[in-house]
Every structure is written in structure tokens, then in C-alpha cells.
């Protein structure tokens, strides 16, 4: 019996993603001057307003023009018109940032984890990206919309920044992707555009350009702007918060999530760095041939450097026992916060790019957690 699985993504113009982009842009601006800064930046947006807060500690002499960073980020996303009721030039900005708690710093300064928590990483052989297929195509659909809007607007001149996608894949009973069953796309648009035209354009210029023809058939269902209109969007249509799209950011619900968000956090926060490390490990386990699918969980105690546990589940696809793989990871990979940060080179201003279209499964030289440098290590244990 076949079964169906669905994942969603949202564009960089979605209000929650606007917040992620602002938080990560602030992190990058700080890291450009102080790579050892402590940053936990949260953002809230609504009609005509940006509120930033959180804990930020930088070395003496660092000066950040928060207003400039925020307005540039909003402009890059595409909120540049007053009719959107939220735009880079006119939105109000409130800054409530303060220093990191000395109680937290006491444990982090000695190399310990910035918080307790559980983090998951995952990889599988469903796609070349070693990611679950539904989330890969969901991301690519909204990214294609953004590319058209920014680079080829004549093709679909009515597009606005906010958008969402959803992809349902039919799987065989042995977990092989068979076909795309349903595609849902909602895109913000200018007034006075016929929905029939938007649907035809989306199918032709977006869906069929992103999803391979072999996965589409006569039974594939398309829902484009199913409410009938999507003129009001972005922070005017819905308020946004940093870290509210953690399933979009990871595996689209296919694999577990520990609960911690990423954007706006420096890598001393294991919510971010250890999740990246777990993905790095899982991807290299699969690529090395140790398993066709791999879930890695790590857990930390605040102020303690070594993880309190490392758990592996290959869903029965491992060439050796899951417990053995877990022991190999502990032996071969430094999972202290310091070790992760150094191995993955995380004290760089690279985070703005992660704020939309997923943190995993992307081919970018700065996404060091996507590299295959641990493959030789794990290949030694393939039996």
C-alpha cells in the first residue's frame, strides 16, 4: 500500500521569515566586527513596525547601526512600496536589545553549552540533497517565485513578496517516492489580476520548471491561491516572529525537531550549532554507505561541554548496528560546542542566507554542515 507525506515552505516575504532575516542580518553585522560576540536576537513585525530585542554582548568599540541593517534587509526582501503597509523606508523600529545574562555567560565562557536541550539531524537517499523529497520541492517552489519576482518580473509582474508552498508526495510501501500527488501555492499579488491567470502562470512558470515531469501526471492536483485572493500579505496581513518556522527550516516534519529555533543565535547556542553538527554527521553517514537513512540526536546540559547523549536510528538501513554508529560518532567527532564551532567554521557572517528556503540540503560553500568531509572517517567502518 502506498502512503502520502506533505511538507510546506514559506518565502522570504512571509512575516515570520522577515523576522528570521532581520535577526540573522543583525547577527552577521555583529560577527563582521566581533566573531566572538554573544547574540540572541529576536524580532517581531506587524503593520508598519519592527521590534527587535534579546541579549547581545560585544567587545568594546563595536558599533552596529541596527536601523540601517533592518531597513536594508527589508528592502532586499522586497517590501519597498507604501501600499504594502510595511516597507523599508517608512516602518517604525523599536530596539530593546540588552546584554547577555552573566549567569549564562559563566558557563559558556568555559566552553560549555549555551543551554540545555535536544537537537536532531537527519539525512536520507530520497534526493541528491540527501533530504526528504517533499521539503526539497516545497523550498524550490517558493525560491523560484522569489527568483522570478527579483530577476524576471516581466514574466509575472503582479507578484508580491509573501508566498507559501506545500507538496504532497506519494510513496511506495518500501518508502520510495513515486509521484507528486498535490501542489499547493499561495502567492501574494497585486490587485485586479485574474486568479485564472495566476494559476496558469504558476503551473507553467513555477511548478513545471521546478518539479521533474516524471513526477507529475494527470492525477496531480494543483491548488493555487485556493482562497481566491491574496492581496494583503506580509507583516500587514499577519504579524511575524523569529523562530516560528522551525519545521520549514529543517525537514518538513519528516524527521523530529528538538524545539529550538536557529535565526538570530550565535553558535555558542547549541540549538543552532549542534543541530547543524547533527545534520553534518547524518549526511556523512548516509554518503559513506553506512546507512540509507540516518537520524542523529544529541543532547546537552547548560554549561557542560560534552553531550549527555548521542542517539542514532538508521530505520533498519544501517550496515552495522545503530549503537555501533553512535559509538563511532562519539569516538571520531568532537561534539563539544567549541569543537563544532571550529570544525564547521561557524564564527563567520554567513547566517543571513540561512533565513529562508531551509538550513539543510543546499549547495553553498558557506554551509559547511552540508560538506562530505567526514565520509572518509565513516567509510572505515563500512562492512
Amino acid at each position: 500500500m502506498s502512503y502520502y507525506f506533505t511538507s510546506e515552505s514559506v518565502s522570504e516575504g512571509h512575516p515570520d521569515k522577515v523576522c528570521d532575516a532581520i535577526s540573522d542580518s543583525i547577527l552577521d553585522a555583529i560577527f563582521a566586527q566581533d566573531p566572538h560576540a554573544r547574540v540572541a536576537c529576536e524580532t517581531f513585525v506587524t503593520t508598519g513596525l519592527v521590534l527587535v530585542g534579546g541579549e547581545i554582548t560585544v567587545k568594546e568599540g563595536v558599533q552596529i547601526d541596527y536601523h540601517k541593517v533592518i531597513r536594508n534587509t527589508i528592502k532586499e526582501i522586497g517590501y519597498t512600496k507604501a501600499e504594502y503597509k510595511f516597507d523599508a523606508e517608512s516602518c517604525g523600529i523599536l530596539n530593546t536589545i540588552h546584554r547577555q545574562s552573566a549567569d549564562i555567560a559563566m558557563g559558556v565562557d568555559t566552553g560549555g553549552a549555551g543551554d540545555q536541550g535536544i537537537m536532531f539531524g537527519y539525512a536520507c537517499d530520497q534526493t541528491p540533497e540527501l533530504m526528504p523529497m517533499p521539503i526539497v520541492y516545497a523550498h524550490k517552489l517558493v525560491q523560484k517565485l522569489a527568483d522570478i519576482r527579483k530577476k524576471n518580473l516581466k514574466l509575472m509582474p503582479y507578484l508580491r513578496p509573501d508566498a507559501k508552498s506545500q507538496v504532497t508526495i506519494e510513496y511506495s510501501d518500501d518508502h520510495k517516492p513515486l509521484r507528486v500527488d498535490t501542489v499547493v501555492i499561495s502567492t501574494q499579488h497585486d490587485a485586479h489580476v485574474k486568479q485564472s491567470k495566476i494559476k496558469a502562470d504558476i503551473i507553467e512558470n513555477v511548478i513545471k520548471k521546478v518539479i521533474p515531469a516524471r513526477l507529475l501526471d494527470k492525477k496531480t492536483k494543483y491548488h493555487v491561491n485556493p482562497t481566491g485572493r491574496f492581496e494583503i500579505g506580509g507583516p500587514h496581513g499577519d504579524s511575524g516572529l523569529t523562530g516560528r518556522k522551525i519545521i520549514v527550516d529543517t525537514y518538513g516534519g519528516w524527521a523530529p525537531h528538538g524545539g529550538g529555533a536557529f535565526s538570530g543565535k550565535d553558535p555558542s547556542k547549541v540549538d543552532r550549532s549542534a543541530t547543524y553538527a547533527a545534520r553534518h554527521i547524518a549526511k556523512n553517514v548516509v554518503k559513506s554507505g553506512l546507512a540509507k537513512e540516518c537520524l542523529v540526536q544529541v543532547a546537552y546540559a547548560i554549561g557542560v561541554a560534552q553531550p549527555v547523549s548521542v542517539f542514532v536510528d538508521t530505520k533498519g538501513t544501517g550496515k552495522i548496528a545503530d549503537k555501533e554508529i553512535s559509538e563511532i560518532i562519539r569516538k571520531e567527532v568532537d561534539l563539544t560546542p567549541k569543537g563544532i564551532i571550529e570544525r564547521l567554521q561557524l564564527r563567520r557572517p554567513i547566517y543571513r542566507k540561512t533565513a529562508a528556503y531551509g538550513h539543510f540540503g543546499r549547495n553553498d560553500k558557506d554551509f559547511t554542515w552540508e560538506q562530505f568531509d567526514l565520509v572518509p572517517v565513516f567509510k572505515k567502518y563500512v562492512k
Side-chain angles (χ1 to χ4, degrees):
M1 291 288 291
S2 63
Y3 65 93
Y4 301 84
F5 193 89
T6 304
S7 294
E8 72 159 346
S9 183
V10 297
S11 73
E12 62 197 81
H14 185 283
D16 293 333
K17 282 290 148 198
V18 172
C19 293
D20 287 346
I22 291 170
S23 293
D24 273 336
S25 294
I26 288 172
L27 172 61
D28 280 357
I30 292 169
F31 263 19
Q33 298 186 48
D34 181 6
H36 295 277
R38 299 281 164 71
V39 183
C41 181
E42 311 293 345
T43 304
F44 166 80
V45 296
T46 188
T47 304
L49 177 67
V50 177
L51 169 64
V52 291
E55 301 79 48
I56 295 179
T57 303
V58 297
K59 66 184 180 183
E60 188 175 348
V62 172
Q63 296 290 329
I64 305 297
D65 187 340
Y66 290 106
H67 283 236
K68 182 178 180 180
V69 171
I70 292 166
R71 294 192 191 281
N72 283 346
T73 302
I74 295 168
K75 182 178 180 181
E76 288 169 9
I77 291 169
Y79 287 109
T80 56
K81 298 179 181 179
E83 64 190 276
Y84 297 157
K85 303 293 194 296
F86 178 88
D87 69 275
E89 293 296 326
S90 67
C91 68
I93 297 173
L94 297 178
N95 181 350
T96 63
I97 290 167
H98 58 89
R99 292 179 63 85
Q100 183 186 62
S101 160
D103 292 350
I104 296 174
M106 186 167 58
V108 178
D109 289 345
T110 58
D115 201 353
Q116 70 174 51
I118 57 174
M119 298 85 202
F120 290 94
Y122 178 80
C124 63
D125 63 357
Q126 289 183 30
T127 62
E129 296 87 355
L130 301 186
M131 289 283 286
M133 187 175 284
I135 190 65
V136 168
Y137 286 126
H139 284 323
K140 288 183 177 182
L141 288 170
V142 285
Q143 191 157 25
K144 183 66 172 178
L145 276 171
D147 288 344
I148 292 171
R149 179 172 56 83
K150 292 182 173 183
K151 301 173 185 176
N152 193 15
L153 187 58
K154 290 181 180 179
L155 192 63
M156 298 170 67
Y158 48 80
L159 290 177
R160 291 182 177 184
D162 199 355
K164 300 180 80 170
S165 68
Q166 194 169 278
V167 176
T168 302
I169 302 291
E170 182 179 359
Y171 287 85
S172 64
D173 57 3
D174 60 349
H175 314 304
K176 301 294 184 185
L178 298 175
R179 54 183 288 275
V180 172
D181 182 75
T182 307
V183 179
V184 182
I185 295 183
S186 295
T187 182
Q188 187 187 15
H189 57 84
D190 290 343
H192 313 304
V193 182
K194 289 184 178 180
Q195 293 298 323
S196 58
K197 175 170 177 52
I198 295 174
K199 183 172 184 177
D201 285 351
I202 290 287
I203 292 173
E204 190 62 33
N205 299 322
V206 181
I207 296 173
K208 289 186 177 180
K209 291 294 191 292
V210 166
I211 299 177
R214 62 182 171 81
L215 293 173
L216 301 172
D217 56 35
K218 292 180 180 179
K219 293 183 178 180
T220 301
K221 297 176 282 292
Y222 304 104
H223 298 290
V224 177
N225 286 2
T227 66
R229 188 171 66 222
F230 188 6
E231 293 174 24
I232 300 170
H236 178 53
D238 187 15
S239 59
L241 291 167
T242 299
R244 201 159 56 176
K245 287 292 179 283
I246 57 176
I247 300 303
V248 170
D249 285 343
T250 51
Y251 307 102
W254 185 275
H257 192 296
F262 306 144
S263 290
K265 295 179 180 178
D266 78 78
S268 74
K269 281 74 173 172
V270 281
D271 280 341
R272 184 168 217 164
S273 54
T275 303
Y276 289 1
R279 161 65 179 173
H280 184 224
I281 291 166
K283 186 175 183 181
N284 279 262
V285 165
V286 172
K287 185 67 173 180
S288 71
L290 269 178
K292 291 180 176 295
E293 183 177 0
C294 183
L295 175 71
V296 176
Q297 185 210 53
V298 290
Y300 292 84
I302 189 168
V304 179
Q306 291 290 346
V308 299
S309 68
V310 177
F311 168 81
V312 171
D313 183 4
T314 62
K315 311 294 182 182
T317 69
K319 294 290 182 65
I320 60 178
D322 292 348
K323 183 179 179 182
E324 285 186 63
I325 298 175
S326 175
E327 290 169 352
I328 290 165
I329 292 167
R330 276 196 174 274
K331 175 185 176 183
E332 299 282 3
V333 184
D334 186 348
L335 283 171
T336 64
K338 183 175 184 291
I340 293 169
I341 289 167
E342 290 179 355
R343 182 173 66 258
L344 299 181
Q345 304 166 52
L346 297 180
R347 293 198 179 280
R348 296 175 296 145
I350 59 172
Y351 296 102
R352 168 69 176 86
K353 292 186 287 187
T354 69
Y357 315 120
H359 293 243
F360 309 125
R362 293 167 60 183
N363 182 21
D364 188 300
K365 64 181 178 62
D366 286 328
F367 288 30
T368 50
W369 51 93
E370 293 295 313
Q371 295 176 2
F372 292 121
D373 49 311
L374 291 178
V375 167
V377 174
F378 293 138
K379 268 189 176 294
K380 296 184 300 183
Y381 298 95
V382 177
K383 296 180 180 178

